[in-house]
Amino acid sequence: MDAPSPAFAAEGAPGLEALLSAGERAQLARLVTPERRCEFVFSRYAVKSAVRTAVNLPVPYRDIDVTKGVFHQPILRFPGNPGLDVSLTHTGGTVMALVYPRACPMGIDLERVDAQTAAAARDQLTPEERALEASTPGNRGLLPLVMWTAREALSKALGTGFTVPLELLAVANLKTADGSWHITFRQFPHFLATAEVIGNLVLSVARPRQITMTAAGAPRATAAQGSMP
């Protein structure tokens, strides 16, 4: 789960670079550090793998292209796209992509579980969220990360990212069930988020309230994950 070493970034990524579209290769050329280049290549590979799984077709990797929208949100393009979008996240050498139907907006976010990251997340909580943390049973050290990743996943589902005031994304309530946290939002009651701990990471997925998550994810929502040694 650690960030890739420069040697791995320089020697391990070129095989995957061949799978990039022309536009993605141009984006890669503008990245300077080996770590950032490696992260970019692995994130695009995760997207392409998720797309191929979602459509159940061997779409050529180079035909699947991810560009940036006006808010730097990922825009998914490939021939015959039946209306799929993608949400991307990365932290500490792990990347994950979630491909989902455009009619069912979703977002995904990961954060590493450590004291420094948890403290930074706690600093961003609203007074109401701090009270919620204090009154919620469970591992309080994780709760700021649960709320922070849920907020960021929501911002991606909305297509805004953190271009809006963070208070608009505030958590209203959270409950635990079956080893997961289930989160609602004050200003967006029609969205829910589900958060889980995976190893030393917190993963949150935001989705419309009427969509039921299962072990396999929401209908036609496909995740691909990669870790860089």
Side-chain angles (χ1 to χ4, degrees), residues 41-202:
V41 171
F42 271 83
S43 70
R44 285 352 185 229
Y45 177 68
V47 172
K48 295 167 194 284
S49 298
V51 165
R52 286 161 62 101
T53 300
V55 300
N56 197 28
L57 290 171
V59 182
Y61 286 98
R62 287 187 179 185
D63 288 353
I64 302 169
D65 182 52
V66 179
T67 59
K68 289 183 179 180
V70 67
F71 295 120
H72 296 279
Q73 76 274 25
I75 304 297
L76 180 61
R77 296 191 176 114
F78 62 93
N81 184 348
L84 299 178
D85 277 336
V86 65
S87 182
L88 275 168
T89 185
H90 57 84
T91 187
T94 296
V95 297
M96 185 173 284
L98 176 68
V99 170
Y100 58 88
R102 191 169 299 142
C104 177
M106 301 177 71
I108 190 170
D109 191 56
L110 282 171
E111 285 293 347
R112 180 182 290 272
V113 178
D114 61 46
Q116 183 177 359
T117 307
R122 184 176 285 108
D123 286 343
Q124 299 300 321
L125 298 183
T126 65
E128 293 79 9
E129 287 172 327
R130 289 174 182 265
L132 184 60
E133 179 194 10
S135 64
T136 301
N139 189 332
R140 289 189 58 194
L142 286 174
L143 293 180
L145 293 174
V146 168
M147 288 190 272
W148 178 261
T149 56
R151 280 182 174 193
E152 187 156 1
L154 174 64
S155 77
K156 294 175 181 179
L158 295 173
T160 64
F162 284 158
T163 62
V164 298
L166 293 181
E167 293 78 8
L168 287 180
L169 307 171
V171 169
N173 198 10
L174 57 85
K175 298 179 180 179
T176 58
D178 302 322
S180 301
W181 285 273
H182 303 279
I183 301 108
T184 58
F185 301 96
R186 291 188 178 278
Q187 304 298 330
F188 297 92
H190 49 296
F191 274 94
L192 292 174
T194 300
E196 295 187 5
V197 176
I198 304 175
N200 64 340
L201 301 169
V202 173

